[in-house]
Amino acid sequence: MPQKPGRLGHVPGASGEAASASTRVEAATASGESERSGTGGLMDLVCERQNLIAALKRVKENKGSPGIDGMRVGELPAFLKLNWPHLREELLAGRYQPQPVRRVMIPKSGGGGERELGIPTVLDRFIQQALLQVLQPRFDPTFSDASYGFRPGRRAHDAVRRAQGYVQEGRRFVVDLDLEKFFNRVNHDVLMGRLERRIADRRVLGLIRRYLEVGVLANGVVIERDEGTPQGGPLSPLLANVLLDEVDKELERRGHAFVRYADDLNVYVRSKTAGERVMAALRCQLTRLRLRVNEAKSAVAPATQRKFLGFSFWVAKGSVVKRRVAPQALARMKDRVRQLTRRAAGRSLAAVCQGLRLYLAGWKAYFRIAETPRVLADIDRWIRHRLRALQLKQWKRGRTIFRELRARGMAVHAAAQVAVNGRRWWHNSAMAIHLALPNALFDKLGVPRLGT
């Protein structure tokens, strides 16, 4: 790419707050300018200074790995200083060509194989972010109120609470729909058809099409794409919502109670028969969108037997529906804690607690709305049991165990009992060792308490 001196509308090192382009987008939409003109002017909004400042700021905040060109986020401002005039010219002329994305495979959270991510270059993340900031305020107000995924001001917790409300109202069956490899199955022609109904600017449409069709670099070879929108770019979540909004609107037209978060869709009904009718109708509609239902993970079942965004529901006294951490999510968390507290890892107790702190703090922040304090308190006890067993193993010999326990105030007889069976770490950690290794120690080492 040519190295031309210049400035990105004074973006690198610019001062002042980064303003969104949403006001201008709404004004253009209200005036009908986008629909009347041949281009719609959206690409001009994408390239506006304030929009670019906001996009650069967001890319810096998100950080992320380099794409195929190896450029890191910190190198982007200097690159834009030299190259932005040429890039802007290409964007406004509709000639800009994105680079292939870098394929990264990560394990799925449920343990069912791997998920493919496509990591765009830092430059393409910047351009996608600038494009997103113009399109989001144009599309978002038209999306269904029951759609929560990747939308400003909407969170997974809001979706879970809405689902809980439907179950509380008596809709005790759920149509739990899972789309098979959704982001990899998006049909480009179908998606572009939906976008063309809303966007008049041919430059924007052409750029989105090129982002959809850009190849994937895997094992040194660029693989062409004829379907799918790679997960990993800022634009993909919005495109997913554009495509699935048609499903939302049909469910609304039929008067159904539903919640959707990205490609997770739950419809709440009052009987299994009604649920089966809804499932059949959804299969037909999704077929028209060229999407596939994952039959192994989809079902019509009692709402208390299914999970949604890591949570499930249970019925307490008085028929009150409450939230809990789904059993599958609990099992994954405990597996992760077992990994972090392996007694053969050769790490100090403080180092193990630091790893736990980082993991459990995020886990607690997400699952804090669970209404099962007793379950979480039991997990707290289990975690500290593992930490005490870890410390005993690190002391190894009975003589060392006895000395360390006595130094921590444990009675002679109790310390001797533990030391004489020094290799029974798990058994010993359930004894009066909590007097020598109290919960306050783990609090001081930063291990969060989940039950409080």
Side-chain angles (χ1 to χ4, degrees):
M1 184 176 292
Q3 300 284 315
K4 296 186 179 182
R7 301 179 71 188
L8 170 56
H10 307 294
V11 168
S15 61
E17 294 187 2
S20 165
S22 61
T23 303
R24 290 183 175 85
V25 175
E26 291 167 0
T29 303
S31 68
E33 173 188 333
S34 298
E35 302 306 325
R36 290 197 305 270
S37 77
T39 64
L42 288 182
M43 187 60 79
D44 301 273
L45 294 175
V46 170
C47 294
E48 277 195 353
R49 175 177 178 267
Q50 294 299 330
N51 187 53
L52 298 171
I53 291 172
L56 183 59
K57 180 180 179 182
R58 179 58 61 89
V59 170
K60 286 180 177 179
E61 289 172 348
N62 291 343
K63 299 180 182 178
S65 303
I68 64 168
D69 61 356
M71 184 192 299
R72 298 187 176 277
V73 172
E75 301 172 76
L76 180 60
F79 177 85
L80 291 172
K81 261 187 178 179
L82 292 174
N83 293 284
W84 178 247
H86 175 70
L87 291 167
R88 183 177 186 275
E89 180 184 335
E90 287 194 320
L91 287 167
L92 292 176
R95 295 194 302 265
Y96 177 77
Q97 180 61 49
Q99 295 188 66
V101 299
R102 179 169 63 88
R103 175 182 285 176
V104 176
M105 305 301 292
I106 61 171
K108 288 188 177 180
S109 58
E114 293 183 311
R115 185 186 307 278
E116 178 183 335
L117 296 184
I119 308 300
T121 63
V122 174
L123 174 61
D124 281 321
R125 294 208 295 272
F126 166 71
I127 294 173
Q128 284 193 37
Q129 181 63 37
L131 188 56
L132 175 68
Q133 290 167 181
V134 170
L135 295 180
Q136 185 95 50
R138 180 186 181 90
F139 281 86
D140 196 77
T142 70
F143 289 151
S144 168
D145 187 57
S147 166
Y148 287 86
F150 309 114
R151 296 182 60 190
R154 287 170 170 257
R155 303 175 303 163
H157 289 170
D158 301 325
V160 171
R161 288 189 176 100
R162 184 166 185 154
Q164 179 185 11
Y166 288 142
V167 180
Q168 184 66 68
E169 291 170 3
R171 296 177 172 88
R172 298 298 172 95
F173 283 84
V174 62
V175 181
D176 186 358
L177 193 72
D178 184 88
L179 296 177
E180 183 178 306
K181 296 182 179 179
F182 169 71
F183 285 93
N184 294 336
R185 302 286 191 197
V186 170
N187 183 278
H188 295 169
D189 292 333
V190 172
L191 175 57
M192 292 305 302
R194 272 59 183 175
L195 290 170
E196 286 168 4
R197 298 174 187 173
R198 309 283 297 278
I199 298 173
D201 193 325
R202 308 307 299 180
R203 298 167 298 178
V204 170
L205 290 170
L207 180 59
I208 294 174
R209 168 73 81 165
R210 290 192 289 277
Y211 272 123
L212 290 172
E213 295 178 345
V214 71
V216 178
L217 182 67
N219 300 319
V221 177
V222 176
I223 304 171
E224 294 183 358
R225 299 181 67 96
D226 56 8
E227 64 177 2
T229 171
Q231 296 185 72
L235 201 56
S236 292
L238 176 64
L239 299 180
N241 278 333
V242 168
L243 185 61
L244 292 175
D245 186 56
E246 185 171 314
V247 178
D248 299 341
K249 293 297 193 292
E250 180 61 19
L251 289 169
E252 286 180 341
R253 190 184 69 80
R254 293 172 178 264
H256 289 302
F258 71 98
V259 188
R260 183 175 66 79
Y261 192 96
D263 56 336
D264 287 332
L265 173 62
N266 278 9
V267 185
Y268 294 88
V269 295
R270 298 184 185 275
S271 70
K272 188 172 183 178
T273 302
E276 288 169 347
R277 286 198 300 267
V278 172
M279 178 69 86
L282 284 170
R283 283 195 182 97
C284 292
Q285 186 176 15
L286 291 168
T287 298
R288 291 195 294 271
L289 293 175
R290 312 283 181 85
L291 298 173
R292 301 178 189 175
V293 175
N294 186 331
E295 300 294 347
K297 294 185 178 180
S298 302
V300 178
T304 54
Q305 295 179 10
R306 305 295 291 183
K307 64 181 178 68
F308 181 55
L309 302 179
F311 291 88
S312 60
F313 305 113
W314 62 288
V315 182
K317 290 181 180 179
S319 298
V320 177
V321 176
K322 293 193 173 185
R323 302 178 295 270
R324 65 178 178 180
V325 183
Q328 300 93 324
L330 271 180
R332 286 196 297 271
M333 184 269 279
K334 295 181 81 170
D335 284 344
R336 181 62 179 148
V337 169
R338 289 187 185 98
Q339 292 174 4
L340 291 170
T341 58
R342 295 192 312 273
R343 292 193 286 276
R347 291 168 298 149
S348 68
L349 181 64
V352 170
C353 288
Q354 173 67 5
L356 276 177
R357 183 186 68 80
L358 294 174
Y359 172 68
L360 292 178
W363 193 92
K364 181 180 180 179
Y366 182 74
F367 287 105
R368 69 181 186 276
I369 66 169
E371 299 171 296
T372 51
R374 185 177 300 176
V375 171
L376 296 177
D378 287 344
I379 294 174
D380 280 335
R381 284 190 286 272
W382 173 76
I383 291 172
R384 282 148 183 79
H385 191 163
R386 289 191 63 84
L387 290 172
R388 292 182 180 109
L390 171 68
Q391 182 62 87
L392 284 176
K393 183 176 187 296
Q394 290 179 348
W395 286 333
K396 295 182 179 179
R397 297 183 179 88
R399 184 180 303 173
T400 305
I401 293 172
F402 179 79
R403 184 184 68 243
E404 295 291 343
L405 293 179
R406 285 289 293 133
R408 287 162 173 77
M410 199 167 180
V412 173
H413 177 70
Q417 256 192 324
V418 174
V420 77
N421 295 302
R423 299 187 68 83
R424 298 180 66 189
W425 304 299
W426 184 256
H427 171 77
N428 285 335
S429 62
M431 298 176 66
I433 191 177
H434 68 274
L435 299 174
L437 299 172
N439 289 341
L441 169 65
F442 304 119
D443 294 341
K444 186 177 180 180
L445 290 171
V447 180
R449 296 197 189 198
L450 305 179
T452 57

